[in-house]
Amino acid sequence: MSQDDSPTPPLQHTAHPGELVGVSEDVWLEVIDKMDEVYSDLLQYEVALEQKNAKLEESQQFIFSVLTSMSDIMLVCDRNGVIQDANRSLEAFCGRSIDDLRGTPMMELFADPQAAAEARRRLLEQGPREVHDCELPLRARDGSAVPVSLNCTPRFSAVGKSLGMVITGRPVGELRRAYEALHQAHEDLKRTQQQLLHAEKMASLGRLVAGVAHELNNPISFVLGNVHALRRYAERLSEYIGHIHGGAGAKEIDEARRTLRIDRILADLPSLIEGTLEGAERTRAIVDGLKRFSVMDRDEAEDFDLVAVIERAVRWVCKAARESFRIELALPRSIPLHGSSGRIQQVVTNLIENAWDAATQGDGPPTLRIGATLREGQVELRFHDNGPGIPETVIGRIFDPFFTTKPVGKGTGLGLSISYGIVERHGGQLLAENAPQGGAVLVLTLPLARTQDKSTPGQSAAGDAQ
């Protein structure tokens, strides 16, 4: 046997305990490295375990806080209906502690055997399934039977095995009181909404009173002046006729005719009568227009001319404006529509009034331009004022109910919202935008009446209303 093939000598102990002979230094270094690696892994496992324990405690605390704060009663049962856990609400409801409830049959909670039998049939005997709004009486802490609306949800293990159920419930009396309170709040809200809508309509009418009064004052004053003149003329004619029937001579009659200016009276009578009739007709037209505006809630559909509606709204608003308000009109001779003329006049009046409010905040004299374009069976009206425009942050909200940029007490925030609804019911659209050259533009689009001639009518000359 060669020297290289000689067997390795066995390890031997020295006189020192634990010291081995024949172990190289590299082996010891490798053992130390492995020990360091194992120790490092143990430290990482310990840190991860502490983190998981902290998260577990946090989750348990969260679940406990949720169960404690629940106002509805809740209990957890196994497949046989034995209570495994419950919350504080059930403890307060039945007067038994949670520790006392654990391990007892769920059926002991019900007020009578019939309710317990019904609960067993619906919650246990039909297998694991969801049950909603199962109304059964439970025994309260004072011994009374309280109807409770129960909801049951089955519990399953990770492999899908049925573990039992979770049952929640709320006394029906509380639900009924909550429903009654909600119903009362809804009724109060509807009444308040109707009152606000009525207030907005009355506010619109109130703002037009001054303009309508001024509009009526002109023809009425004209009629009143003519009536006074007719009364004086009647007195002179009566005196002249008295001379004739009194047997006066021809010379005396001629003198009375010249003195009483009978020829001038006869010449003035046709114009006086014609002017009085014209003033009365003008008054009737104004009152008829005001009547149409005041009965707009009836939604009476009729054929009407939108140009006449716009001109009437312009006159009323301009007469009511305390400042000089210039309105430039560029409209066709006629725009036939079908719908409620009173409601459309409310929309137009509201848009003109809003333009007036905005234009008074601008630099120049308040000005509004109203133009119309007819295309494809529709009319597009553009109300362009010279105000500061609509801020981009609120331009998408100006048609929302109760939204207003006016100071407190200056507006209800319902005018544009109501107008938007009226336009939609007429099959149209109401949009808002800012013009590139400045100012706000309200675009009103409405369908023309079906009898509208397909040919585009000529545009009338732009007029001014002040």
Side-chain angles (χ1 to χ4, degrees):
M1 180 180 296
S2 64
Q3 185 177 358
D4 294 337
D5 295 336
S6 61
T8 303
L11 298 177
Q12 299 178 358
H13 289 277
T14 64
H16 300 284
E19 184 178 355
L20 299 176
V21 178
V23 178
S24 66
E25 184 179 351
D26 293 338
V27 174
W28 283 111
L29 291 176
E30 184 178 354
V31 170
I32 292 173
D33 291 339
K34 290 294 183 181
M35 291 178 63
D36 290 340
E37 184 178 347
V38 171
Y39 181 72
S40 177
D41 291 341
L42 288 174
L43 289 178
Q44 293 179 2
Y45 292 152
E46 184 179 0
V47 172
L49 183 61
E50 290 179 354
Q51 292 177 349
K52 291 180 179 179
N53 287 336
K55 291 183 179 179
L56 181 60
E57 291 178 359
E58 183 180 352
S59 299
Q60 289 178 340
Q61 184 63 32
F62 174 75
I63 294 173
F64 178 77
S65 64
V66 170
L67 295 179
T68 303
S69 61
M70 284 181 60
S71 60
D72 291 357
I73 63 175
M74 189 196 75
L75 63 152
V76 181
C77 302
D78 62 12
R79 291 181 297 176
N80 299 317
V82 177
I83 299 176
Q84 296 177 321
D85 206 350
N87 66 345
R88 295 285 180 84
S89 296
L90 180 59
E91 183 181 38
F93 177 83
C94 65
R96 298 172 59 182
S97 66
I98 297 177
D99 293 334
D100 184 34
L101 289 170
R102 290 192 182 102
T104 61
M106 174 186 65
M107 302 306 162
E108 294 182 1
L109 299 176
F110 292 93
D112 51 59
Q114 293 78 9
E118 180 67 14
R120 181 180 298 277
R121 184 184 67 83
R122 300 187 63 178
L123 303 179
L124 296 178
E125 295 178 355
Q126 297 187 15
R129 64 185 184 88
E130 292 187 2
V131 178
H132 299 285
D133 296 329
C134 176
E135 185 176 331
L136 294 171
L138 298 184
R139 184 180 294 107
R141 65 187 308 159
D142 59 358
S144 62
V146 178
V148 177
S149 178
L150 300 175
N151 295 290
C152 176
T153 304
R155 294 189 302 129
F156 298 96
S157 66
V159 296
K161 181 180 178 181
S162 175
L163 298 177
M165 68 200 78
V166 177
I167 299 176
T168 59
R170 174 174 294 182
V172 177
E174 295 182 6
L175 293 175
R176 287 173 180 167
R177 287 193 295 271
Y179 175 77
E180 290 174 359
L182 180 62
H183 179 71
Q184 184 63 37
H186 179 65
E187 293 297 323
D188 293 341
L189 181 61
K190 287 198 301 185
R191 284 194 297 269
T192 303
Q193 183 185 26
Q194 293 298 325
Q195 292 172 357
L196 287 172
L197 293 177
H198 181 70
E200 176 65 24
K201 185 180 74 172
M202 297 309 296
S204 299
L205 286 172
R207 296 186 65 178
L208 298 178
V209 167
V212 174
H214 191 282
E215 188 79 3
L216 286 172
N217 184 61
N218 290 334
I220 291 177
S221 298
F222 189 64
V223 170
L224 186 61
N226 287 352
V227 169
H228 282 297
L230 287 173
R231 185 173 63 180
R232 292 195 304 270
Y233 288 173
E235 293 174 354
R236 294 184 184 182
L237 288 174
S238 178
E239 183 179 352
Y240 178 69
I241 293 174
H243 283 288
I244 295 177
H245 290 287
K251 185 176 181 180
E252 185 178 355
I253 292 175
D254 289 340
E255 181 63 21
R257 185 185 185 94
R258 184 183 62 79
T259 304
L260 297 174
R261 299 181 179 179
I262 300 301
D263 294 334
R264 181 178 177 182
I265 290 175
L266 295 177
D268 286 348
L269 280 178
S271 62
L272 284 175
I273 295 173
E274 183 66 25
T276 302
L277 291 174
E278 181 181 351
E281 180 62 27
R282 178 63 186 154
T283 302
R284 186 202 63 78
I286 295 172
V287 172
D288 181 66
L290 183 60
K291 180 181 177 182
R292 288 175 179 272
F293 186 81
S294 63
V295 298
M296 55 196 169
D297 285 339
R298 297 182 182 175
D299 282 334
E300 296 178 351
E302 59 181 357
D303 293 328
F304 64 94
D305 185 8
L306 181 59
V307 174
V309 170
I310 296 174
E311 291 176 347
R312 183 164 57 244
V314 166
R315 284 197 306 270
W316 288 2
V317 176
C318 288
K319 297 300 181 181
R322 297 181 180 179
E323 305 178 38
S324 176
F325 186 35
R326 179 183 178 88
I327 299 182
E328 301 174 357
L329 300 178
L331 304 173
R333 289 188 296 271
S334 176
I335 304 177
L337 296 184
H338 184 77
S340 172
S341 60
R343 285 189 174 272
I344 296 299
Q345 181 169 334
Q346 180 190 11
V347 173
V348 174
T349 302
N350 187 271
L351 296 180
I352 296 175
E353 288 178 341
N354 277 275
W356 170 28
D357 293 334
T360 54
Q361 301 175 15
D363 297 332
T367 304
L368 172 64
R369 298 176 180 87
I370 304 177
T373 303
L374 304 180
R375 63 165 70 93
E376 298 179 357
Q378 290 185 327
V379 57
E380 180 184 278
L381 291 176
R382 299 179 66 86
F383 297 77
H384 181 196
D385 62 63
N386 65 338
I390 307 172
E392 294 296 334
T393 55
V394 303
I395 194 170
R397 302 173 54 198
I398 64 172
F399 298 115
D400 293 347
F402 307 109
F403 178 81
T404 178
T405 57
K406 299 177 183 178
V408 177
K410 297 295 184 180
T412 62
L414 287 173
L416 287 178
S417 175
I418 294 174
S419 299
Y420 189 88
I422 293 174
V423 172
E424 276 197 332
R425 288 193 293 274
H426 281 76
Q429 289 184 333
L430 184 58
L431 305 174
E433 59 187 29
N434 287 314
Q437 64 272 29
V441 180
L442 275 296
V443 183
L444 171 61
T445 305
L446 290 168
L448 296 172
R450 294 182 179 179
T451 56
Q452 164 70 5
D453 187 2
K454 297 299 181 180
S455 60
T456 303
Q459 298 287 334
S460 64
D464 296 341
Q466 301 190 42

